[in-house]
Amino acid sequence: MENGYYWRNRELRQQVSVIDGTDAPTLLLKNSTYLNVYTKQWLKANIWIANDRIVYVGENLPENLDGTEIIDCEGQYLVPGYIEPHAHPFQLYNPEELANHAARFGTTTLINDNLMWHFLLDKKKAFSMIEDFSKSPVSMFWWARFDSQTTLQDEESLFNTEEVLKWINHPSVVQGGELTSWPSLLAGDDRLLYWIQETKRQGKPVEGHLPGASEKTLTKMKLLGVSADHESMTGEEVLRRLRLGYQVGLRYSSIRPDLPKLIEEIVAENLQNYDNLTMTTDGGTPAFYENGLMNRCIEIAIEKGVPAVEAYRMASYNAARHFRMDEQLGSIAPGRIAHINILKEKEAPRPVSVLAKGKWIVKDDVNQELSPVIDWEKYGINPLSIDWELREEELQFSLPVGLNMVNEVIMKPYAIDTDITLDEIPAEKEDAFLLMIDKNGKWRVNTTIRGFTNQLGAIATSYSTTGDFVFIGKSKSDMLLAWKRMKEIGGGIVLVNKGEVVLEIPLTLGGAMYDGSMTELIEKEKQLKTVLEEFGYSFNDPVYSLLFLSSTHLPFIRITQQGIVDVKKKEILFPATMC
């Protein structure tokens, strides 16, 4: 296959020859009870697979079984591999490890955010890498971002018409968005409208990002080309979007685990048609994925009253149809990629066996070894090599306004009434120093933050929206020590208190991603949360708190490359200082 889902003529002829008995299938799943997503029935069939493709589903058995692996599926239930339609594959983990972990729980297709590639790679390398991802047994597709969801020093260099259109035209890119810059679209940004129109001309949907949007706003966005949205926070918001013709994603993420409530409310409204609903985990943090991805969403949907057949369709066929890939994905039918989950029971979506592109990912509850397909070093995604020093004079704090955390990700401005010229902020004060500094040491923004910690000496992190470095803490000396250790490990997250390193998470893939197993990373994230809670972090998701410090699609105030920004007014309140 090329680009994940096209077969060459020679392969197509070989697949047809299996039907004629000239060639043998590579795998036969006989006596199967499978979910037919088209008739919404559980049917008996024998399923023939030739390498990575389903070639036959029906009553017959192959004439030629020379070398065929035969699995008797009597008493088991087969469903299409699950599809995560809205993945952010960079939440400390890397996309390959996330994909492998997801597949072990039955999620065999990921539609991925491309934002990190804009910051880590030039376009040529990024395209080469996503073509390498097509060699994975997991189907990996991508979005084309239209904006950085922050305020950059030079946004135009990354998001311009030439760059955006080349991403849109790539065959592994299946949608535009997500559209966090929709206020600009409504305000008359015709270049953004042009990008949306070009995306639609390619036959690709555009994903919105419309939290709390009114019927009027939703209508305008539909007119301007937005196809889908995953930001519903109530059942009524789900129904409003459905009535307007949106494909609606129901979210179950670490930061917004809304799915149970949404399902309860739409079931209570006696929703009759689930065809335009999908589900998404929307970039959950590592520990949130300990027990899988879409399998968890299906479990919740069934528990809350969605018919099992509809729940499986929401996590497979509905998503494939939305992305116009339903002739390759989302069903068990001839011509589809051989993504199949084998279940013990119809209403138990965690599979006992998983096939991805016809290869066993899990077989009889035993995880199979997966060979890596991405050579990170080939693309220059290595441990950070930082050739400059953070100096004491760069830890000078004098701004009158700080950031007050309302929850994990929403921040309001507050007037600083603490003496922040000291080397250490007293423990009885809620404030902590907050420094964001360019990864190349060229600019910095110094302020304070309330709500992240009232005790910790310092946390230093290279994990942020843009890859710039963030420091939070009570002690300047601990900030310098955290900086030193972060440099030594090649990037990551380092916690220091009273001159001692308390915890570190190395992120040696570009300072943004963990180069190790998901199991290891899950434990490290749990430790991070535990330690931060001990030092006064009172919310539930510190990873997202760090990531979204500079995200200007969220209210009310942000720290960005250009300085402290008032999101609503789109004003820079205090500009960054050049180093």
Side-chain angles (χ1 to χ4, degrees):
M1 282 192 305
E2 296 177 351
N3 300 318
Y5 60 92
Y6 296 116
W7 286 271
R8 298 179 179 89
N9 286 355
R10 173 179 53 81
E11 293 172 312
L12 294 172
R13 294 296 183 187
Q14 287 175 337
Q15 291 159 3
V16 170
S17 72
V18 173
I19 306 303
D20 293 333
T22 306
D23 288 325
T26 52
L27 176 62
L28 169 63
L29 304 175
K30 69 176 187 177
N31 300 321
S32 300
T33 299
Y34 80 102
L35 174 61
N36 187 299
V37 297
Y38 304 103
T39 65
K40 300 186 181 183
Q41 294 173 298
W42 296 95
L43 302 175
K44 292 286 288 187
N46 298 305
I47 299 168
W48 311 359
I49 294 169
N51 297 311
D52 58 356
R53 197 181 196 196
I54 300 168
V55 298
Y56 177 83
V57 180
E59 296 180 358
N60 296 330
L61 290 168
E63 296 176 18
N64 186 342
L65 289 171
D66 185 21
T68 302
E69 180 183 7
I70 302 172
I71 303 295
D72 192 337
C73 296
E74 187 71 48
Q76 296 179 310
Y77 302 89
L78 280 62
V79 296
Y82 311 141
I83 299 173
E84 167 53 270
H86 190 90
H88 297 273
F90 310 104
Q91 314 301 44
L92 302 184
Y93 38 71
N94 68 71
E96 183 173 36
E97 184 58 27
L98 174 65
N100 292 343
H101 178 77
R104 293 187 174 101
F105 294 88
T107 300
T108 54
T109 300
L110 300 178
I111 314 298
N112 297 293
D113 188 357
N114 75 330
L115 183 60
M116 188 65 73
W117 300 144
H118 284 286
F119 296 117
L120 288 178
L121 298 170
D122 62 44
K123 184 173 72 275
K124 183 178 179 181
K125 284 186 177 180
F127 287 173
S128 179
M129 176 173 280
I130 65 176
E131 285 159 13
D132 279 351
F133 270 111
S134 71
K135 302 169 188 174
S136 167
V138 179
S139 291
M140 297 287 276
F141 300 97
W142 304 87
W143 329 336
R145 282 273 189 169
F146 297 150
D147 67 275
S148 65
Q149 72 178 35
T150 186
T151 303
L152 300 177
Q153 292 275 349
D154 184 12
E155 176 117 355
E156 182 67 20
S157 66
L158 297 180
F159 296 93
N160 55 66
T161 296
E162 181 183 1
E163 291 285 320
V164 169
L165 294 189
K166 284 185 177 178
W167 273 98
I168 289 168
N169 290 328
H170 195 283
S172 289
V173 172
V174 297
Q175 78 167 6
E178 64 184 293
L179 194 62
T180 54
S181 58
W182 62 270
S184 297
L185 179 64
L186 288 181
D189 187 336
D190 279 339
R191 185 175 71 163
L192 182 53
L193 181 57
Y194 171 66
W195 296 347
I196 292 171
Q197 291 293 80
E198 287 301 300
T199 304
K200 302 299 282 287
R201 257 190 280 277
Q202 290 284 332
K204 299 175 182 181
V206 173
E207 174 77 9
H209 182 97
L210 307 169
S214 66
E215 181 184 52
K216 183 177 181 180
T217 295
L218 290 169
T219 299
K220 289 181 180 179
M221 298 306 293
K222 205 75 181 71
L223 292 171
L224 293 170
V226 174
S227 315
D229 187 66
H230 61 283
E231 292 288 332
S232 300
M233 291 178 277
T234 67
E236 176 52 39
E237 291 185 354
V238 172
L239 296 173
R240 183 183 304 149
R241 285 161 172 76
L242 287 174
R243 294 180 190 120
L244 294 173
Y246 282 84
Q247 185 79 22
V248 181
L250 307 182
R251 179 166 48 190
Y252 184 64
S253 73
S254 54
I255 196 71
R256 293 242 25 138
D258 295 326
L259 181 64
K261 175 176 177 283
L262 296 177
I263 295 288
E264 286 177 355
E265 292 180 0
I266 63 175
V267 168
E269 289 293 326
N270 198 30
L271 180 68
Q272 295 296 303
N273 189 327
Y274 293 84
D275 291 353
N276 293 311
L277 290 173
T278 58
M279 296 179 285
T280 176
T281 60
D282 195 15
T285 47
F288 190 76
Y289 287 152
E290 187 168 14
N291 294 308
L293 278 72
M294 299 311 297
N295 59 297
R296 287 288 300 122
C297 293
I298 299 167
E299 286 172 6
I300 291 166
I302 293 172
E303 288 169 4
K304 296 297 181 180
V306 175
V309 168
E310 299 291 0
Y312 288 116
R313 279 170 49 99
M314 288 164 67
S316 56
Y317 178 70
N318 291 4
R321 189 188 68 246
H322 172 62
F323 293 112
R324 301 186 181 183
M325 295 192 292
D326 47 312
E327 290 198 4
Q328 291 84 35
L329 297 166
S331 63
I332 298 175
R336 277 51 176 180
I337 298 172
H339 290 321
I340 298 175
N341 292 329
I342 301 176
L343 315 177
K344 281 184 178 179
E345 300 174 13
K346 290 180 182 178
E347 298 189 356
R350 178 168 176 172
V352 294
S353 297
V354 178
L355 282 169
K357 294 181 183 173
K359 297 179 180 178
W360 293 109
I361 304 297
V362 180
K363 190 174 184 181
D364 296 328
D365 278 325
V366 178
N367 291 337
Q368 307 299 294
E369 186 173 347
L370 299 175
S371 300
V373 299
I374 301 299
D375 180 355
W376 298 104
E377 191 171 350
K378 169 184 171 183
Y379 295 101
I381 298 180
N382 296 311
L384 294 181
S385 178
I386 305 167
D387 60 1
W388 55 276
E389 282 300 330
L390 180 66
R391 300 166 298 178
E392 287 188 22
E393 52 263 41
E394 282 149 358
L395 300 180
Q396 302 300 318
F397 296 82
S398 59
L399 291 186
V401 172
L403 283 60
N404 183 44
M405 296 179 67
V406 177
N407 60 27
E408 288 93 338
V409 299
I410 292 176
M411 294 178 292
K412 291 184 176 181
Y414 77 96
I416 299 171
D417 57 8
T418 297
D419 185 356
I420 56 174
T421 64
L422 303 173
D423 289 338
E424 186 168 327
I425 295 177
E428 63 270 16
K429 297 291 186 179
E430 296 180 63
D431 314 75
F433 297 120
L434 170 59
L435 167 68
M436 184 176 181
I437 191 165
D438 173 39
K439 56 192 169 188
N440 297 309
K442 295 180 179 179
W443 53 261
R444 59 185 168 86
V445 184
N446 302 61
T447 184
T448 62
I449 188 169
R450 284 180 177 173
F452 192 89
T453 181
N454 56 12
Q455 301 174 50
L456 182 67
I459 179 172
T461 177
S462 57
Y463 174 76
S464 65
T465 297
T466 55
D468 297 308
F469 304 145
V470 173
F471 299 80
I472 300 172
K474 307 285 280 189
S475 165
K476 293 180 181 178
S477 61
D478 281 349
M479 292 170 79
L480 291 170
L481 180 56
W483 156 257
K484 179 181 178 182
R485 184 57 184 158
M486 187 180 73
K487 284 184 64 176
E488 289 172 350
I489 64 175
I493 299 173
V494 177
L495 277 65
V496 171
N497 196 59
K498 298 187 185 304
E500 294 185 4
V501 175
V502 178
L503 177 68
E504 59 186 46
I505 303 177
L507 300 175
T508 53
L509 298 178
M513 299 175 287
Y514 186 69
D515 188 14
S517 75
M518 196 72 160
T519 302
E520 295 169 351
L521 184 58
I522 285 169
E523 291 308 310
K524 289 182 180 295
E525 192 218 341
K526 287 180 180 178
Q527 293 172 23
L528 174 67
K529 186 175 178 181
T530 298
V531 172
L532 285 175
E533 285 174 351
E534 291 172 357
F535 284 102
Y537 181 82
S538 59
F539 305 112
N540 293 314
D541 205 330
V543 172
Y544 263 102
S545 293
L546 294 172
L547 180 66
F548 280 169
L549 279 171
S550 59
S551 294
T552 52
H553 66 293
L554 294 164
F556 293 87
I557 187 171
R558 299 284 135 176
I559 182 170
T560 75
Q561 290 188 356
Q562 290 193 22
I564 304 296
V565 172
D566 182 315
V567 173
K568 188 173 182 180
K569 294 181 180 178
K570 296 184 178 179
E571 293 179 357
I572 298 172
L573 303 179
F574 301 96
T577 301
M578 301 309 292
C579 296

